[in-house]
Coordinates of all heavy atoms in Angstrom, one line a residue:
W222 N -17.0 15.0 5.2 CA -18.0 15.3 6.2 C -17.9 16.9 6.4 O -18.9 17.6 6.3 CB -17.8 14.6 7.4 CG -18.8 15.0 8.5 CD1 -20.2 14.6 8.6 CD2 -18.7 16.0 9.6 NE1 -20.8 15.3 9.6 CE2 -19.9 16.2 10.3 CE3 -17.6 16.6 9.9 CZ2 -20.1 17.0 11.3 CZ3 -17.8 17.6 10.9 CH2 -18.9 17.7 11.7
C289 N -25.0 12.7 14.0 CA -24.1 13.6 13.4 C -23.8 14.8 14.4 O -24.9 15.5 14.9 CB -24.6 14.1 12.1 SG -23.7 15.5 11.3
P290 N -22.7 15.2 14.7 CA -22.4 16.3 15.6 C -22.9 17.6 15.0 O -23.0 18.7 15.6 CB -20.9 16.4 15.8 CG -20.3 15.3 14.9 CD -21.3 14.5 14.3
R291 N -23.1 17.8 13.6 CA -23.5 19.0 13.0 C -25.0 19.1 12.9 O -25.6 20.1 13.1 CB -22.9 19.0 11.7 CG -23.2 20.4 10.9 CD -22.2 20.7 9.9 NE -22.2 19.5 8.9 CZ -21.1 19.2 8.1 NH1 -20.0 19.8 8.2 NH2 -21.3 18.0 7.2
C292 N -25.8 18.0 12.5 CA -27.3 18.2 12.2 C -28.0 17.1 13.0 O -29.3 17.2 13.0 CB -27.4 18.0 10.7 SG -27.4 16.3 10.2
G293 N -27.5 16.1 13.7 CA -28.2 15.1 14.5 C -28.8 13.9 13.8 O -29.2 13.0 14.5
E294 N -28.7 13.9 12.4 CA -29.1 12.7 11.8 C -28.1 11.5 12.1 O -27.0 11.8 12.6 CB -28.9 12.9 10.3 CG -29.9 13.6 9.5 CD -31.3 12.7 9.2 OE1 -31.0 11.5 9.0 OE2 -32.4 13.2 9.4
I296 N -25.5 8.8 11.5 CA -24.4 8.4 10.6 C -24.5 7.0 10.1 O -24.8 6.0 10.9 CB -23.1 8.9 11.3 CG1 -23.0 10.3 11.6 CG2 -21.9 8.2 10.5 CD1 -21.9 10.7 12.5
C309 N -22.9 11.4 6.8 CA -24.2 11.8 7.4 C -25.2 12.0 6.3 O -24.9 12.9 5.4 CB -24.0 13.1 8.1 SG -25.6 13.8 8.6
P310 N -26.3 11.3 6.3 CA -27.3 11.5 5.2 C -28.1 12.9 5.3 O -28.6 13.2 4.4 CB -28.4 10.4 5.3 CG -28.0 9.5 6.6 CD -26.6 10.3 7.1
G311 N -27.9 13.5 6.5 CA -28.6 14.8 6.7 C -27.9 16.0 6.1 O -28.5 16.8 5.4
C312 N -26.6 16.0 6.3 CA -25.9 17.3 6.0 C -24.8 17.1 4.9 O -24.1 18.0 4.4 CB -25.4 18.0 7.1 SG -24.2 17.0 8.1
Q313 N -24.7 15.8 4.3 CA -23.8 15.6 3.2 C -24.5 15.4 1.8 O -25.2 14.2 1.9 CB -22.7 14.4 3.5 CG -21.7 14.8 4.6 CD -20.7 13.6 4.8 OE1 -20.9 12.9 5.8 NE2 -19.8 13.4 4.0
Ligands
ZN418 ZN1 -25.2 15.8 9.5

Side-chain angles (χ1 to χ4, degrees):
W222 179 83
C289 167
R291 187 164 51 205
C292 76
E294 277 283 324
I296 290 164
C309 170
C312 60
Q313 284 177 265

